[in-house]
Amino acid sequence: MQLTDSQTTAGALVVSEMRRMYGAKFGQQWQGLTPRELKDSWDRTLAGLTEAEIRTGLLACLSRDWPPTLPEFLRLCRPWLNPEVAYHEAVQGISCRRRGEIGHWSHPAIYWAAVSTGTHDLLNSTYSTIKVRWEREFAKELEKGTWPSIPEVREALPGPGQTMSTKEEAAAALKRMGVAEIKPLAQGNKAWAEKILAEHERKGGQRYSASVLAMAKRALGIELNAGEAV
């Protein structure tokens, strides 16, 4: 099937494939519509989908005994629209980012829903326990229509329970992130955090990495912006 045929719309081509796969079942499902109305209905649904996504949907149809409705076919083309599928992709993607890898993201809405939900909670919860919260945040992201690009992965300090083996290794990690000198993070001592934010602002936002800035803001009780802690 050639979806990029300049003389034939995607809707007409998909309808043709459906007729070949399902025969009379497809005609029965759309009984009452003219061929033009049928093609236009599918064209509207397929608008915005890539050729790869449409092929994904058609391949999924091979395991179905009955032809899908338009909404069903859209979900077959974009399986990540299923909140549970998106959740598992988000968990895998955030885990990759914790290892310094970009991860696979079918759509930026999945990433930003993960940020809104909270990456710590996402990685430390089962789907059943976080389902309501995740579905709410994912739906809110999908409604936006446009999304910022997924930020590049930045080197982060070890998370809770992921301590480094020596003080020297910790100091080396801080140095790689651009922290030339930092005072002991003793409870109640916030001068180091104030110094980091002050220097970062004075140097036009080029002094410290996002991870170090997030650590300093947390110490001072400053609310982080979306994506700063990821």
Side-chain angles (χ1 to χ4, degrees):
M1 183 185 66
Q2 180 62 43
L3 293 178
T4 56
D5 190 321
S6 60
Q7 301 300 317
T8 310
T9 66
L13 288 165
V14 170
V15 166
S16 178
E17 288 294 311
M18 290 284 187
R19 290 189 187 282
R20 275 196 284 269
M21 279 192 282
Y22 294 109
K25 290 180 181 178
F26 186 77
Q28 292 169 6
Q29 185 181 46
W30 296 93
Q31 192 172 19
L33 291 183
T34 67
R36 177 61 180 269
E37 290 172 334
L38 178 58
K39 180 190 74 68
D40 289 347
S41 294
W42 281 88
D43 276 336
R44 287 193 295 270
T45 297
L46 300 178
L49 270 66
T50 65
E51 180 175 338
E53 288 174 328
I54 294 173
R55 289 185 182 279
T56 296
L58 288 172
L59 285 173
C61 286
L62 295 175
S63 63
R64 297 172 60 101
D65 293 332
W66 286 88
T69 63
L70 285 172
E72 287 172 341
F73 186 72
L74 180 59
R75 290 193 292 271
L76 293 176
C77 292
R78 292 176 168 174
W80 54 265
L81 282 173
N82 181 309
E84 186 170 0
V85 172
Y87 159 80
H88 289 294
E89 180 175 311
V91 170
Q92 182 64 32
I94 293 299
S95 297
C96 287
R97 292 180 71 85
R98 291 291 177 90
R99 299 194 300 269
E101 305 166 6
I102 186 65
H104 168 74
W105 301 96
S106 298
H107 195 278
I110 301 176
Y111 171 79
W112 293 111
V115 173
S116 299
T117 302
T119 57
H120 178 270
D121 290 349
L122 196 69
L123 295 178
N124 291 277
S125 303
T126 63
Y127 183 66
S128 60
T129 59
I130 206 170
K131 180 178 184 291
V132 174
R133 182 173 164 193
W134 166 256
E135 291 185 355
R136 180 180 65 246
E137 296 302 329
F138 186 46
K140 284 166 59 178
E141 284 298 328
L142 290 177
E143 289 173 358
K144 292 181 178 179
T146 59
W147 304 267
S149 299
I150 297 173
E152 294 294 324
V153 180
R154 297 181 182 273
E155 186 172 8
L157 289 174
Q162 299 175 321
T163 56
M164 306 185 85
S165 58
T166 67
K167 292 182 179 179
E168 289 74 17
E169 290 176 29
L174 289 171
K175 185 175 181 179
R176 288 197 303 272
M177 290 187 289
V179 182
E181 178 184 0
I182 189 166
K183 294 181 180 181
L185 308 184
Q187 186 174 7
N189 179 10
K190 304 297 178 63
W192 64 271
E194 294 171 348
K195 178 182 177 181
I196 284 176
L197 296 183
E199 288 188 2
H200 189 73
E201 182 175 358
R202 187 167 62 250
K203 294 181 179 295
Q206 302 297 319
R207 184 68 179 90
Y208 296 105
S209 71
S211 298
V212 172
L213 291 173
M215 183 176 64
K217 287 184 177 182
R218 285 198 190 95
L220 296 173
I222 298 175
E223 184 177 353
L224 302 182
N225 297 321
E228 279 190 314
V230 181

